Amino acid sequence: MALFTRKEPILGIDISPSAVKLIELSRSGTRFRVEAFAIEPLGEGVMEDRNPADTDDIAEAIKRAWRTSGARARRVAIAVPTSGVITRTVPMPAEFKESDIETNIAIEASQYIPYPVEEIYLDFEVKGPSQVSADMQDVMLVATRKENVDTREATLKNAGLIPAIVDVEAYALENTFRLLMDGLPKKEGGGLSLSKAHGGLTALIDIGATMTNLYILQDDSIIFTREQGFGCDLLTVRIAEAYGLSREQAEQAKRTGQLADDYGPMILEPFKQMLAEQIGHGLQFFFSSDLFVSGRYTVDSIVLVGGGALIMGLDRVVADVLGYTTLVGNPFKNMGSAGRVNSNALLRDAPLLALACGLALRSFD
Ligand SMILES: Nc1ncnc2c1ncn2[C@@H]1O[C@H](COP(=O)(O)OP(=O)(O)OP(=O)(O)O)[C@@H](O)[C@H]1O
Ligand SMILES: [Mg+2]
C-alpha cells in the first residue's frame, strides 16, 4: 500500500545561474517526504540576465539531474525571477466576473506595464472587495516579459520534461516559508513589542551567486521585496585574486574551506561582515518605505536561504551586526525522505533548495 501519494506529482526545478536544482515531494496527511532531489552545477555564462541563454547546456544539466535523482514526475513547476515580474493591484468594478476581468485585463495592464502588451504574459488574481469603494474589487495584475517564460519552457521541453506551472520566485519562496515558520521563535507576552498585535515580521534573505533578494513577510505573506546586486560570487572572486587561483579552483576551495591560514581573518570574516551590512542596508529600504510604520511593526527574525546561507557562521555574524535572531532555513526539517535520497547531502544543501522546494509544493495546492 502506498502511504505517500505520488499521484501526478509536480517536480520543482529552479534554473539558476549556479546550478539546476530539482526536487520531487510526496505527501501523506500533513507530512511531506522528499522523493528525489539533485543539484547539477551549470557552467559560467549559460544564463544571461537571469534567463537561460544556452538552452542545450542547461537541458543536459536538467536531464542529468532528473536521471541521478531518480525522479519519476515529468511535469514541472518553474519560476521566473521576482525582479522580472511586475505586480499591480488595480480596482475593477465589483460585478466583474473572471471572464469580464480577462477581457479587460490587457487594457488595464497597458496603463501600468512599461512594455507593449504583445511582449508580455499577463495573469491576475482577485484579492477581494476594495477598501476604497464598495462598488469596486481589487485585482492583482501579474505581468512578465514573454522571454522570461519562453526560454525556461523551451529548456524544459528540450530536456524531455513538461512545463506545467510557471510561478514567481517570491510566491514559491512564500510556500517554502510556511514550512520554515514552525522553526521561528514566537513572541510571547505583551511587553513593549507591538508586533504581536499586528503579526511580527520576518525577513527572508535569499543569498545567491549574483543576487541577494530580501523579502519581508507578515505572517506568511510577502509585503515587501528588494533585489540587491551582490552575492557569493564575490567571495569566489576575492579568493581567486588573493591566492592566484582560477575561478573553478576558487569555487572548490570556498566550499571545502581548504585555504591558507589567513583566509578566515583576511577574506571570509570581512566578507561575512560585508554581507551582514548589505542585508542591513536592504532592511533600511523597508524601514524607510511607506509600508513601514514605526512602532507598529518590528522585525522578529531573519531567515537565511540560498548558497550564502551555507557560509559557516554567517547567521551568527548577521545576528551580531544587525541585532535580530537569525536562522538558516531548512525546509526539510520536518520531512522524511525516500530510501534513494542521500539524506546527509539533503541536510547539507537544504538552504540551496528553498526555491525548488516551494515549486515542488505546488503539487499539493
Ligand atoms: N558549501 C558552500 N559554502 C559556501 N558557499 C557555497 C556553498 N555551496 C554553494 N555556495 C555558493 O552559493 C552560491 C550559489 O547559491 P545559489 O544556488 O543560491 O545561487 P543561484 O540561485 O544560482 O544564484 P542567484 O540566486 O544569484 O540567481 C555560489 O556562489 C556558491 O559558490
Ligand atoms: Mg537563487
Side-chain angles (χ1 to χ4, degrees):
M1 189 181 70
L3 264 182
F4 285 84
T5 47
R6 292 187 80 187
K7 214 175 66 194
E8 288 257 30
I10 291 178
L11 281 178
I13 298 189
D14 169 12
I15 306 172
S16 70
S18 69
V20 166
K21 298 144 195 158
L22 171 154
I23 298 199
E24 185 175 321
L25 299 175
S26 62
R27 184 173 68 177
S28 166
T30 55
R31 200 169 144 80
F32 295 102
R33 185 166 87 165
V34 178
E35 294 292 340
F37 88 97
I39 299 175
E40 195 62 39
L42 290 175
E44 231 177 294
V46 295
M47 298 277 284
E48 242 171 54
D49 287 339
R50 304 180 61 74
N51 280 335
D54 188 334
T55 55
D56 287 343
D57 252 26
I58 300 172
E60 284 308 314
I62 294 174
K63 280 188 207 165
R64 278 196 301 278
W66 196 83
R67 265 198 315 268
T68 57
S69 69
R72 283 203 254 146
R74 287 190 173 271
R75 294 177 351 112
V76 178
I78 44 171
V80 293
T82 309
S83 58
V85 174
I86 300 173
T87 53
R88 290 280 180 283
T89 301
V90 298
M92 285 199 173
E95 69 271 15
F96 268 22
K97 309 241 170 334
E98 295 255 323
S99 56
D100 302 316
I101 297 173
E102 237 173 274
T103 334
N104 286 282
I105 201 85
I107 305 162
E108 283 293 332
S110 60
Q111 298 179 46
Y112 301 96
I113 316 290
Y115 303 113
V117 173
E118 58 279 10
E119 282 177 24
I120 57 174
Y121 289 125
L122 267 175
D123 201 355
F124 66 89
E125 196 182 297
V126 176
K127 299 306 273 185
S130 160
Q131 305 281 353
V132 187
S133 155
D135 303 332
M136 305 299 270
Q137 59 180 329
D138 281 339
V139 177
M140 187 174 73
L141 274 181
V142 185
T144 191
R145 291 183 70 114
K146 285 184 175 171
E147 64 197 26
N148 295 332
V149 175
D150 292 349
T151 50
R152 284 178 172 77
E153 287 195 341
T155 309
L156 280 184
K157 286 183 189 155
N158 191 347
L161 299 177
I162 305 156
I165 295 175
V166 180
D167 208 335
V168 178
E169 285 190 4
Y171 303 150
L173 281 171
E174 227 173 41
N175 248 353
T176 306
F177 184 75
R178 297 194 178 112
L179 298 179
L180 297 174
M181 270 172 80
D182 289 345
L184 296 182
K186 304 219 172 25
K187 279 265 151 70
E188 299 294 347
L192 283 175
S193 167
L194 293 170
S195 65
K196 207 176 158 223
H198 296 278
L201 305 178
T202 308
L204 179 69
I205 322 276
D206 179 6
I207 309 168
T210 55
M211 295 288 173
T212 292
N213 275 290
L214 161 76
Y215 300 96
I216 302 284
L217 291 105
Q218 183 171 27
D219 303 321
D220 55 6
S221 299
I222 291 174
I223 58 167
F224 178 88
T225 73
R226 183 172 169 80
E227 185 180 78
Q228 293 171 277
F230 65 88
C232 300
D233 274 359
L234 270 178
L235 179 57
T236 314
V237 170
R238 289 191 187 168
I239 294 171
E241 280 170 0
Y243 301 109
L245 301 174
S246 71
R247 273 192 67 106
E248 289 72 36
Q249 290 168 326
E251 179 68 42
Q252 190 60 31
K254 175 168 89 170
R255 288 169 193 233
T256 59
Q258 283 169 343
L259 281 154
D261 285 347
D262 64 358
Y263 170 60
M266 295 302 289
I267 296 179
L268 185 60
E269 293 307 322
F271 182 77
K272 286 193 236 179
Q273 187 78 22
M274 186 278 289
L275 271 185
E277 284 163 10
Q278 288 292 340
I279 292 169
H281 285 158
L283 284 171
Q284 283 311 321
F285 274 92
F286 170 65
F287 291 137
S288 58
S289 72
D290 295 344
L291 275 168
F292 181 74
V293 185
S294 180
R296 207 176 128 190
Y297 290 139
T298 56
V299 170
D300 288 338
S301 47
I302 294 181
V303 178
L304 306 176
V305 293
L310 295 181
I311 298 174
M312 196 88 88
L314 179 64
D315 49 344
R316 217 189 47 244
V317 175
V318 171
D320 286 350
V321 172
L322 302 178
Y324 299 106
T325 305
T326 305
L327 314 163
V328 173
N330 172 6
F332 311 113
K333 210 172 99 194
N334 298 319
M335 287 191 199
S337 59
R340 76 177 72 81
V341 168
N342 176 342
S343 45
N344 286 334
L346 182 69
L347 195 66
R348 187 192 61 214
D349 291 331
L352 274 174
L353 294 159
L355 177 58
C357 173
L359 291 168
L361 286 168
R362 291 288 180 219
S363 301
F364 316 106
D365 276 357

